[in-house]
Amino acid sequence: MDATLSAETLYQALGKRLELSWVAGRSSGGQRLSAADTHWGGATLVGHLNLIHPHCVQVLGSREFAYLQQLDTTTREHALSQLLNGESVVIVVGGGESPDTRMIELAEHAGIALLVSPLATHELISTLRYFLSEALAETTTTHGVFMEVLGTGLLLTGDSNVGKSELALELITRGHRLVADDAPEFARITPDILQGRCPHVLQDMLEVRGLGILNVRAMYGDNAIKLNKYLRLIIDLRHSHSTRHEDEHRLYGITRIRRLLGVEIPVIEIPVAPSRNLAVLVEASVRKHLLLQSGYDAADDLIQRQQQRLESES
């Protein structure tokens, strides 16, 4: 989580994209945005006008200004005082509206960054929520190789020297894409979504024993690299002698759940042996996972067929 995120850094990051103009509260630009009230990032910190529980970043548009304008002078002054009482850090005025002199004075006095944009409020809110979700998300670093395989975010983990990087290299040659090798970073951007990315210093790099460091982008082109991806599946590679008795898992395979930042991620364990084509097995694992997500399980299908056969014979 980025504890240093402030009104100033928000303006620097999104000022050009959202066509922001800073009209008041510039001296308080270093005031930090807090994500203390959320366990999964900053999406809930942004919202429309709320005088009861002000958002950290409040967005005002035509409807909000119309509401304020129809109030009598005393009630409007009270509403503006509630809006600009210091609990909010940033107020963004959108939809082509312009804050009046009184709003500017109150924002300056309260030390609240008052920004103006010509964009519609729904566009402002969606962009701000996406940015804050990533910037304030809880993060962790996990050992493994993170890839996009058949459009699915896949983390390869397993025993030391089991061949994760070699497998990743073979998957790349089969048209799949690398996100991060060795130390992918994962951020919980919503209650049930982890987004993985690569640390800047390791971008495009893959270490393969005997070959050293490879620049995947330089060798295979831009299409071999994916900047970020949602984590949906973990493949755990284990030496065959370390797995449990294989007869116990003939139907369903070896599966379990791993919790990462509080999100449950399915794990498929693949025993590694010299005669096994791991790239094909990984692709098949992803396809099986996608079928399970759609509601089809081949093992259940086989059991049902056997049951029907027994019932017909009896």
Side-chain angles (χ1 to χ4, degrees):
M1 181 179 293
D2 188 354
T4 65
L5 186 65
S6 64
E8 180 67 36
T9 56
L10 180 68
Y11 177 76
Q12 293 297 329
L14 298 177
K16 181 179 294 186
R17 180 176 176 182
L18 297 181
E19 304 177 41
L20 297 173
S21 300
W22 202 320
V23 298
R26 191 66 188 254
S27 60
S28 303
Q31 187 175 354
R32 294 178 179 179
L33 279 68
S34 172
D37 61 338
T38 175
H39 299 290
W40 48 77
T44 59
L45 301 181
V46 182
H48 291 284
L49 174 65
N50 189 329
L51 300 177
I52 306 301
H53 300 288
H55 298 283
C56 187
V57 179
Q58 296 215 87
V59 179
L60 280 66
S62 300
R63 290 185 178 180
E64 289 76 15
F65 270 80
Y67 165 75
L68 293 173
Q69 290 298 330
Q70 58 92 26
L71 300 176
D72 60 65
T73 303
T74 302
T75 307
R76 185 174 186 275
E77 182 70 17
H78 179 67
L80 288 176
S81 298
Q82 282 185 289
L83 174 65
L84 299 162
N85 63 2
E87 291 186 26
S88 297
V89 177
V90 179
I91 293 179
V92 182
V93 176
E97 299 291 341
S98 299
D100 58 21
T101 303
R102 184 56 178 159
M103 182 178 290
I104 294 175
E105 289 176 355
L106 290 172
E108 194 71 43
H109 181 265
I112 294 176
L114 181 60
L115 309 176
V116 176
S117 170
L119 303 183
T121 55
H122 67 85
E123 185 175 353
L124 293 172
I125 288 178
S126 62
T127 302
L128 286 166
R129 282 178 173 171
Y130 183 80
F131 173 78
L132 291 174
S133 292
E134 290 196 328
L136 296 175
E138 185 180 3
T139 62
T140 188
T141 299
T142 303
H143 181 66
V145 184
F146 188 44
M147 302 190 66
E148 181 194 62
V149 177
L150 299 172
T152 299
L154 170 69
L155 177 65
L156 297 174
T157 65
D159 295 332
S160 179
N161 301 328
V162 78
K164 295 184 291 293
S165 296
E166 291 84 348
L167 173 58
L169 184 61
E170 184 173 357
L171 289 169
I172 291 169
T173 64
R174 297 170 70 95
H176 307 295
R177 298 197 280 183
L178 174 71
V179 179
D181 178 38
D182 189 53
E185 297 176 344
F186 293 99
R188 186 181 182 185
I189 61 173
T190 73
D192 59 353
I193 293 180
L194 297 180
Q195 179 173 268
R197 56 181 177 262
C198 184
H200 179 72
V201 69
L202 299 178
Q203 189 70 54
D204 306 335
M205 300 300 177
L206 178 69
E207 179 189 4
V208 180
R209 292 180 184 274
L211 295 180
I213 303 298
L214 305 179
N215 187 315
V216 173
R217 188 187 296 273
M219 294 176 64
Y220 297 96
D222 293 342
N223 287 336
I225 296 294
K226 181 74 173 176
L227 294 181
N228 53 66
K229 191 70 181 178
Y230 295 160
L231 175 61
R232 299 301 190 190
L233 179 65
I234 297 174
I235 299 291
D236 192 30
L237 304 174
R238 296 292 171 182
H239 293 295
S240 57
H241 60 76
S242 66
T243 62
R244 290 157 286 184
H245 195 273
E246 63 178 12
D247 287 341
E248 300 175 7
H249 311 283
R250 292 287 295 273
L251 284 177
Y252 292 99
I254 307 173
T255 61
R256 61 180 183 276
I257 296 294
R258 176 177 173 181
R259 294 184 64 87
L260 196 60
L261 293 177
V263 180
E264 294 186 349
I265 306 296
V267 180
I268 298 177
E269 182 175 320
I270 297 181
V272 176
S275 61
R276 312 198 85 193
N277 189 324
L278 294 180
V280 171
L281 292 175
V282 166
E283 290 176 338
S285 297
V286 174
R287 293 183 186 277
K288 177 182 178 180
H289 169 72
L290 295 175
L291 285 174
L292 288 172
Q293 295 300 302
S294 69
Y296 175 78
D297 190 326
D300 288 343
D301 189 5
L302 177 60
I303 292 173
Q304 185 177 5
R305 292 182 187 184
Q306 291 175 326
Q307 184 66 33
Q308 291 174 347
R309 177 65 178 274
L310 291 174
E311 290 176 354
S312 63
E313 291 181 349
S314 61

